[in-house]
Amino acid sequence: MRPTTSYVVTTFLIILICCSSSCLAKKHSHHHKTKHAKKPAPPTAQKQVLDVEVFGAKADGKSDNSQAFKKAWDKACNSLESIKILVPKGKVYYVKHVDFTGPCHSGISMEIQGTIKSFAKMYDTPKRLWIKFEDVRNMEIFGGGTIDGSGEVWWKNSCKIKKTKPCQSQSAPTALTFRNCSNLTLSNLRLLNAQQMHVNFQDCNDVEASKLVVEAPEESPNTDGIHVTRTSNIKILDSQIRTGDDCISIVNGSRNVDVRNIACGPGHGISIGSLGEDNTENYVSNIYVKGATFTGTTNGARIKTWQKSAVQVENVVYRNIIGTSASKVAINLNCSESVPCKNVVLQNVMLTAQQKGEKVEASCNHLAVQTTKLNSLPSCSLND
């Protein structure tokens, strides 16, 4: 059986992570409050609603509605007044690939009441993306509907499933990508069975993602729930994420990330990284996780780094983490031999074995003397 965890995390605070083959520790004040993202303001009052069916969209189970959606977007984007695009309730619209590109003249909202679905077959997608929003400001996407990637055919052809396939080719597309967007709200949607990652925020600023349900089978490969890269001032709130990979992954260039009230599992937990691959310099700071629940996950809250890259991890607080572990090693702090972890605090971290009568242990390597453990079990020597 694959090791699973059941954790409740009240606070998991990352102040600074600096990664490179020659990165020096930077001095920053240690505090418990991070700079949280401001909630993006919604677009101004809508004066017109654009139903995608007016632009030729057909919920007939066979038509590719990519162009119809794009026509509705272009009209809204070129309007001097704020406009809402509507995907009607109770209908399923298939699309192969669509780009929603700005900048636009005014704020745009998209109300997805029905379902946007990918065809259940492999096909070419530009830059391995299925639905992409790029260079857009002041956007709101909501509506209670569903975005379904029909990812099973892609999973079956993944190199993680078919070991003879090269991983560099035929990579599955990310389902929903936001690139270089700002003042963005994504809320009240269901995202299912992404071909690969479900949602990717890349080079974005001032984002709120809330009340999302993200689901894919536990065995589906690389189906991260929400991926954050080079994005700042983002809130991820009040969501349920059940996938085959990280519920939330936060990587290079991201800062001021506020994660609260997330139900995660199955999946790999909430992860920062991987960082420092191929001796590259990565920087992540001000990551705050509070009120997360992990059930049936392979990990809880973790930082992933490449050992050979001499990654510096500093100013990390794990606080009020209570739960059970299915694996014997419940806490694993394996830092760089050349640049030990610095200023790591474990406070009120209490983990026990999932099976009665068994014991769990902590594995700690290369921790600097500033590391402290307060009222935490299992524990290990700071000199390990």
Side-chain angles (χ1 to χ4, degrees):
M1 179 180 293
R2 185 170 68 173
T4 59
T5 58
S6 179
Y7 295 161
V8 176
V9 178
T10 302
T11 304
F12 168 50
L13 173 64
I14 307 299
I15 301 297
L16 173 68
I17 299 173
C18 178
C19 314
S20 76
S21 58
S22 60
C23 184
L24 300 178
K26 296 179 175 61
K27 294 183 179 179
H28 283 253
S29 60
H30 187 145
H31 54 82
H32 299 303
K33 293 183 179 180
T34 60
K35 178 183 177 182
H36 303 316
K38 295 181 179 179
K39 183 176 179 180
T44 54
Q46 281 74 38
K47 295 184 179 180
Q48 186 178 1
V49 176
L50 302 181
D51 189 321
V52 293
E53 292 198 345
V54 174
F55 296 85
K58 297 178 181 179
D60 57 11
K62 60 183 180 180
S63 297
D64 177 11
N65 294 288
S66 303
Q67 289 303 311
F69 276 67
K70 186 64 167 59
K71 289 177 181 177
W73 174 265
D74 289 344
K75 183 174 177 61
C77 189
N78 290 321
S79 172
L80 297 179
E81 297 180 348
S82 185
I83 287 182
K84 179 169 72 177
I85 299 170
L86 175 65
V87 179
K89 187 175 181 178
K91 297 184 178 182
V92 179
Y93 300 92
Y94 283 86
V95 299
K96 281 188 176 179
H97 166 77
V98 61
D99 279 343
F100 299 113
T101 305
C104 298
H105 292 296
S106 62
I108 293 180
S109 64
M110 181 177 288
E111 185 171 358
I112 302 174
Q113 296 181 354
T115 297
I116 301 174
K117 191 168 184 175
S118 174
F119 289 93
K121 60 183 180 181
M122 296 179 71
Y123 49 85
D124 292 335
T125 56
K127 299 181 180 179
R128 294 181 295 185
L129 304 176
W130 178 38
I131 299 173
K132 181 182 68 172
F133 294 84
E134 186 169 16
D135 297 329
V136 183
R137 293 177 54 86
N138 303 323
M139 178 170 58
E140 182 182 18
I141 302 174
F142 65 101
T146 299
I147 298 175
D148 187 344
S150 300
E152 186 176 1
V153 66
W154 295 92
W155 307 334
K156 289 179 179 179
N157 286 277
S158 166
C159 67
K160 291 189 175 181
I161 304 298
K162 287 190 175 182
K163 303 299 183 180
T164 58
K165 282 186 170 290
C167 291
Q168 288 74 23
S169 64
Q170 297 185 357
S171 294
T174 298
L176 184 59
T177 299
F178 296 92
R179 180 179 292 168
N180 196 31
C181 295
S182 62
N183 203 25
L184 164 67
T185 299
L186 178 71
S187 65
N188 192 26
L189 289 174
R190 192 177 184 205
L191 298 113
L192 301 179
N193 301 325
Q195 303 92 329
Q196 194 165 236
M197 293 180 182
H198 284 80
V199 184
N200 180 20
F201 296 104
Q202 179 178 328
D203 299 302
C204 295
N205 185 49
D206 291 333
V207 176
E208 181 171 301
S210 65
K211 298 180 181 177
L212 303 177
V213 176
V214 183
E215 294 180 303
E218 183 176 5
E219 65 276 9
S220 58
N222 300 320
T223 52
D224 296 56
I226 299 175
H227 184 72
V228 181
T229 179
R230 297 190 303 273
T231 290
S232 59
N233 304 323
I234 175 172
K235 289 184 177 182
I236 303 173
L237 311 171
D238 307 318
S239 297
Q240 302 174 38
I241 306 176
R242 300 180 283 269
T243 70
D245 210 293
D246 292 328
C247 292
I248 299 173
S249 52
I250 303 164
V251 298
N252 180 37
S254 298
R255 60 186 180 89
N256 299 335
V257 181
D258 189 353
V259 179
R260 296 175 186 256
N261 302 325
I262 302 297
C264 170
H268 294 179
I270 295 177
S271 301
I272 296 174
S274 299
L275 300 172
E277 185 175 8
D278 296 327
N279 293 321
T280 56
E281 183 169 320
N282 294 160
Y283 184 87
V284 175
S285 64
N286 290 350
I287 314 299
Y288 190 84
V289 178
K290 183 174 182 179
T293 301
F294 303 90
T295 306
T297 58
T298 56
N299 302 279
R302 62 176 177 166
I303 303 170
K304 300 188 295 181
T305 63
W306 290 85
Q307 178 65 247
K308 295 181 180 181
S309 300
V311 173
Q312 173 75 71
V313 177
E314 64 177 347
N315 297 344
V316 180
V317 179
Y318 293 89
R319 179 186 295 122
N320 298 336
I321 300 176
I322 301 172
T324 62
S325 173
S327 59
K328 187 174 181 62
V329 178
I331 296 175
N332 187 1
L333 301 176
N334 189 20
C335 302
S336 169
E337 183 176 1
S338 56
V339 188
C341 293
K342 182 179 179 182
N343 295 337
V344 177
V345 175
L346 278 68
Q347 183 176 3
N348 192 30
V349 177
M350 308 297 291
L351 301 177
T352 58
Q354 195 172 57
Q355 298 296 327
K356 290 185 177 180
E358 295 185 0
K359 293 184 178 180
V360 295
E361 60 187 37
S363 175
C364 305
N365 295 290
H366 313 304
L367 298 178
V369 294
Q370 293 90 341
T371 300
T372 57
K373 301 181 181 70
L374 305 174
N375 190 33
S376 295
L377 289 173
S379 186
C380 53
S381 171
L382 300 183
N383 297 320
D384 287 351

